[in-house]
Amino acid sequence: AIERTFSIIKPDAVSKNLIGAIYNRFETAGLRIVAAKMLHMTREQAMGFYAEHEGKPFYEGLVKFMTSGPVMVQVLEGEDAIRRNREIMGVTNPKEALAGTLRACYADSIDRNAVHGSDAPASAAREIAYFFTDSEICPRA
Ligand code: CMP
């Protein structure tokens, strides 16, 4: 089925000038970018976005990293978009990510891992609504 998923190009990848390279990977894989913006998250924004990780040992470092510089946030649309985006990204830890995935190619570590993508339909809906209003999303024919 056609799905939407939420994606972040994290501060490490933005700082390395990889926005276009990563967008190319999404588009080559058949995902369409139907909404996008650059923003520098506030501490409150990052804490709310990652609320499910509150209390975990990496939470404070994650919030600091995600607010350390601008990110690109986007909504990707396409057949099986949630799973397809996770395949393109590779697993969270770049040391375990399959060759050719975004994290294998571009991530420095599990903390500075280049991209985020929703892991399920419910989180995709929540994450899209966290950063975009309905009128900011431009579905394509
Ligand atoms: P992300 O998909 O953005 O979701 C939470 C982030 O926390 C994750 O990517 C990683 O960059 C970071 N992180 C650091 N340590 C861990 C860990 N042990 N398990 C999961 N995520 C971690």
Side-chain angles (χ1 to χ4, degrees), residues 47-111:
M47 288 176 74
F49 182 75
Y50 282 118
E52 68 182 281
H53 296 301
E54 203 180 333
K56 293 185 188 166
F58 58 85
Y59 179 70
E60 180 56 29
L62 176 62
V63 170
K64 281 220 160 62
F65 169 60
M66 291 302 290
T67 57
S68 68
V71 299
M72 287 295 303
V73 295
Q74 46 280 326
V75 178
L76 307 177
E77 188 177 83
E79 187 65 35
D80 209 9
I82 296 168
R83 195 172 57 90
R84 192 171 290 193
N85 182 43
R86 291 177 72 79
E87 284 172 7
I88 296 165
M89 291 193 299
V91 296
T92 307
N93 186 347
K95 289 181 187 157
E96 293 162 9
L98 291 181
T101 59
L102 291 173
R103 275 147 171 179
C105 292
Y106 301 134
D108 301 322
S109 68
I110 192 170
D111 300 299

Side-chain angles (χ1 to χ4, degrees), residues 6-9 23 35-39 41 71-75 131-132:
F6 176 74
S7 160
I8 304 178
I9 302 179
Y23 274 18
K37 56 191 162 191
M38 180 177 275
L39 56 94
M41 277 192 225
V71 299
M72 287 295 303
V73 295
Q74 46 280 326
V75 178
F131 285 104
F132 292 99

